[in-house]
Amino acid sequence: MIQLFHVSKIFGPTVALKDIDLRIRTGEFVFVTGPSGAGKTTLLRLIFGAEPPTEGQILINGINLSRISGTKLHLLRRKIGFVFQDFKLLSRRTVFQNVALALEVTGEKGSVVRKKTHQMLRAVALAPKEEAYPIELSGGEQQRVAIARAMINDPLILLADEPTGNLDPEITREIMVLFRSINLRGTTVVIATHNRELLRNTDQRIILLHKGKALE
Amino acid sequence: MIAKLRLWATYLKVALSSILYNRLIYAISVGTIAISLLILGAFVLLSVNVRDWIQGWGQTLSISVYLKDGIDEGTRERIRTAVSTLQGAEIKGFISKEKALQDMKGMLGSQAGLLDGLTWNPLPASFEVAFKNVDRAKFEPKRIKEALEKVAGVDEVQYSEQWLDQFEGLLYVLKIAGFALGGLLCVAVLFIITNTIKLAIYSRRNEIEIYKLVGATDWYVKAPLLIEGALQGALGALIALVILSAVHLVLSFKAVQVFGLPFLEFVFLSSSYALGILFLGLVLGLLGSFIAIGRFFKF
């Protein structure tokens, strides 16, 4: 469960988010949309704990982010997967190493890391390319690597910021199918997008951000 | 415990991979650190040897009694007797004028031809005297010098302590210069390491962001950088010690003798000094990394 109580975020003179009250239930699939600068990315970053809100409280599964110590925040982040428009893959690491990284940072055993990484790469249909470097992959493949990395720790929540922004419509459909299957396994999925096509054919909940305010 | 060891193995792997990737920057940095620590090590080596020489000379107090030219055998024997009666004195040898000239030619080596033009031998004959089992605190070379110079036939008396006083002064200057230079070099090494790690952080800021993104602890990001700094410092110190030892090996074949004093043995740094330099490199490396990391992350 993600809960936001009267959350505002102000950057200097700019009000990015204003008095947001929001509940996203466990296992829900939610789109956050709005024009550029509406505060979509800021909202996801606040939920991820990358930024503190200027005002208000954020609770993730009952844990108040403003009360959590910096050293514990990384533990919470392991339960939140994050996928970006620009994939954020390590160019010097192979597909396998990029995905394995999320497990390695937890100090997991090498054999467990290898087994789970192979499983995850099979799940996103990238097993044949595990030794390839990101630069050798298409945009859709890179995004699947990023999703595999975000999912390998079995997160409770998957946040995706414009995950299809750099992809063509065919690949976008493939990626959305992947998100849907992740959600069906019980993971809460929150996707920030301004892709109208994506929203037109969905029956999922849509949160519209406009001038920092949230509208359902 | 095993999980922690596994993490440390990962930190080391990340650090080594970063060093390999930025190998040119690291090679320059390690080279500069090695040169700085080499200069520092050379100063320590010189100070240690000068100190040892002075201590060695101090343990064998000696005087040279120079005789006037043209004295007869009887006068020379009276001088020998006067010297022998001094407490703890032992005449190590009589150096005739001819032997003194011969020794001088030997010391000059290939330049000995300079003495060929001499029509007479200007060097005096002398008794070389060593004092054994004397209390150094109670030893008064000045008084002995004055007493012996009153004996008929004695031209001049020189004692090793005159040199010791000068060398002790030199040692003091060396110490002060060593501290000042050492301090400056340590600051320079710190500066080099801090900047190399800062460059490493800049070149890896995307990587660091991704580490944070996947839930890495702050320590997971910082530990490899600290290892990189420590490795740089230690490697620089190790190279400095290897070069210093090679230079010492070459120099130690050349025994040095100064003003008739005992032969000088050129010793290398003791293991504690060598370990000290290695440890200094390591600590400077860690400190440099700490400073660089501190500018980017809060500890």
Side-chain angles (χ1 to χ4, degrees):
Chain A
M1 170 89 96
I2 302 168
Q3 294 166 288
L4 281 81
F5 298 101
H6 304 291
V7 168
S8 296
K9 182 69 186 176
I10 301 165
F11 296 103
T14 312
V15 180
L17 294 172
K18 193 177 174 186
D19 199 27
I20 304 274
D21 261 315
L22 195 63
R23 316 266 182 285
I24 298 173
R25 290 185 307 278
T26 302
E28 214 176 341
F29 193 115
V30 177
F31 284 105
V32 178
T33 191
S36 291
K40 304 189 289 294
T41 300
T42 305
L43 180 65
L44 295 198
R45 285 178 63 80
L46 290 182
I47 294 171
F48 187 62
E51 307 255 5
T54 311
E55 281 173 19
Q57 309 283 323
I58 300 170
L59 272 68
I60 306 292
N61 276 11
I63 299 167
N64 191 331
L65 289 190
S66 56
R67 299 225 176 116
I68 196 167
S69 70
T71 49
K72 293 268 170 67
L73 192 61
H74 68 269
L75 293 174
L76 185 73
R77 283 185 183 161
R78 290 176 191 172
K79 289 290 154 203
I80 305 175
F82 210 136
V83 176
F84 295 86
Q85 181 176 359
D86 60 356
F87 322 127
K88 293 208 188 295
L89 299 177
L90 293 169
S91 57
R92 282 194 281 140
R93 292 194 181 214
T94 63
V95 165
F96 184 92
Q97 289 166 339
N98 265 286
V99 177
L101 176 71
L103 277 176
E104 280 172 4
V105 300
T106 66
E108 191 56 271
K109 253 163 70 177
S111 57
V112 176
V113 172
R114 282 190 293 278
K115 190 178 165 197
K116 286 189 82 172
T117 306
H118 283 305
Q119 279 174 354
M120 190 49 70
L121 285 173
R122 272 197 298 276
V124 295
L126 275 174
K129 299 210 168 177
E130 66 176 37
E131 289 309 314
Y133 285 89
I135 199 163
E136 299 163 347
L137 304 178
S138 68
E141 286 170 332
Q142 288 188 53
Q143 195 56 295
R144 277 190 279 151
V145 177
I147 292 169
R149 185 183 62 194
M151 290 304 298
I152 199 158
N153 276 322
D154 298 319
L156 303 167
I157 300 164
L158 179 64
L159 306 174
D161 189 8
E162 302 284 4
T164 58
N166 283 344
L167 308 176
D168 62 39
E170 182 63 28
I171 306 296
T172 295
R173 269 191 292 279
E174 276 180 28
I175 295 296
M176 289 315 295
V177 168
L178 195 55
F179 280 131
R180 167 65 61 196
S181 67
I182 289 166
N183 177 244
L184 287 174
R185 289 207 299 258
T187 306
T188 308
V189 176
V190 182
I191 297 176
T193 182
H194 63 263
N195 185 337
R196 286 165 189 269
E197 205 54 42
L198 220 59
L199 303 170
R200 194 166 294 147
N201 305 315
T202 188
D203 52 355
Q204 306 300 338
R205 181 179 168 200
I206 298 171
I207 297 165
L208 173 67
L209 287 178
H210 185 66
K211 291 184 180 172
K213 300 280 282 178
L215 309 163
E216 293 278 338
Chain B
M1 181 67 187
I2 291 169
K4 278 202 170 163
L5 281 175
R6 210 178 292 127
L7 272 175
W8 273 101
T10 310
Y11 300 156
L12 190 64
K13 202 170 80 180
V14 173
L16 291 176
S17 130
S18 164
I19 289 173
L20 269 179
Y21 187 72
N22 298 307
R23 52 190 173 276
L24 186 64
I25 296 172
Y26 278 94
I28 294 168
S29 167
V30 167
T32 323
I33 293 164
I35 292 167
S36 306
L37 291 177
L38 179 64
I39 297 169
L40 188 68
F43 246 86
V44 175
L45 184 63
L46 193 64
S47 303
V48 164
N49 274 283
V50 171
R51 192 196 59 199
D52 284 357
W53 295 339
I54 289 173
Q55 279 177 353
W57 293 334
Q59 278 160 11
T60 50
L61 299 160
S62 62
I63 62 169
S64 298
V65 181
Y66 296 103
L67 311 183
K68 285 179 178 160
D69 283 352
I71 58 167
D72 58 26
E73 186 81 15
T75 311
R76 200 169 74 195
E77 283 313 306
R78 271 193 297 281
I79 295 169
R80 185 192 290 273
T81 311
V83 170
S84 304
T85 53
L86 293 170
Q87 196 192 351
E90 186 186 326
I91 297 176
K92 302 298 286 184
F94 172 72
I95 299 173
S96 66
K97 283 172 72 69
E98 294 71 30
K99 176 77 171 35
L101 187 65
Q102 204 182 325
D103 287 351
M104 172 72 94
K105 282 182 176 172
M107 278 171 74
L108 290 172
S110 59
Q111 307 292 313
L114 291 170
L115 300 175
D116 290 348
L118 289 173
T119 53
W120 59 288
N121 181 356
L123 300 175
S126 64
F127 282 112
E128 294 302 318
V129 186
F131 288 85
K132 288 192 174 166
N133 306 320
V134 288
D135 184 349
R136 201 173 172 225
K138 290 179 185 165
F139 186 69
E140 292 178 277
K142 209 169 176 184
R143 195 181 55 76
I144 292 170
K145 175 184 160 79
E146 283 166 5
L148 283 178
E149 279 176 352
K150 283 178 187 158
V151 176
V154 172
D155 184 29
E156 193 191 355
V157 174
Q158 281 187 356
Y159 54 93
S160 56
E161 280 212 340
Q162 281 173 315
W163 297 109
L164 290 186
D165 290 345
Q166 287 175 16
F167 273 108
E168 272 174 359
L170 175 71
L171 185 67
Y172 181 73
V173 172
L174 265 178
K175 252 187 196 169
I176 298 292
F179 276 122
L181 189 78
L184 277 175
L185 289 171
C186 285
V187 171
V189 168
L190 259 184
F191 183 74
I192 295 161
I193 294 175
T194 305
N195 279 304
T196 314
I197 298 296
K198 270 203 251 174
L199 280 175
I201 296 173
Y202 274 125
S203 76
R204 273 160 55 187
R205 56 190 190 284
N206 287 339
E207 196 174 324
I208 290 169
E209 187 195 344
I210 292 167
Y211 282 171
K212 295 280 203 178
L213 186 75
V214 295
T217 56
D218 281 356
W219 191 239
Y220 192 94
V221 175
K222 290 169 188 168
L225 294 165
L226 289 173
I227 292 173
E228 284 169 40
L231 280 178
Q232 272 183 81
L235 196 62
L238 194 66
I239 293 170
L241 284 174
V242 168
I243 297 172
L244 203 59
S245 135
V247 171
H248 164 259
L249 204 65
V250 171
L251 289 180
S252 61
F253 282 120
K254 295 180 189 292
V256 187
Q257 196 182 22
V258 183
F259 306 112
L261 291 164
F263 274 99
L264 304 179
E265 199 189 348
F266 194 54
V267 294
F268 192 58
L269 296 172
S270 64
S271 54
S272 55
Y273 272 111
L275 282 175
I277 290 179
L278 204 62
F279 187 68
L280 179 70
L282 190 89
V283 168
L284 287 174
L286 275 174
L287 198 60
S289 298
F290 248 86
I291 294 168
I293 293 169
R295 303 232 168 115
F296 286 89
F297 316 97
K298 280 182 191 162
F299 264 95

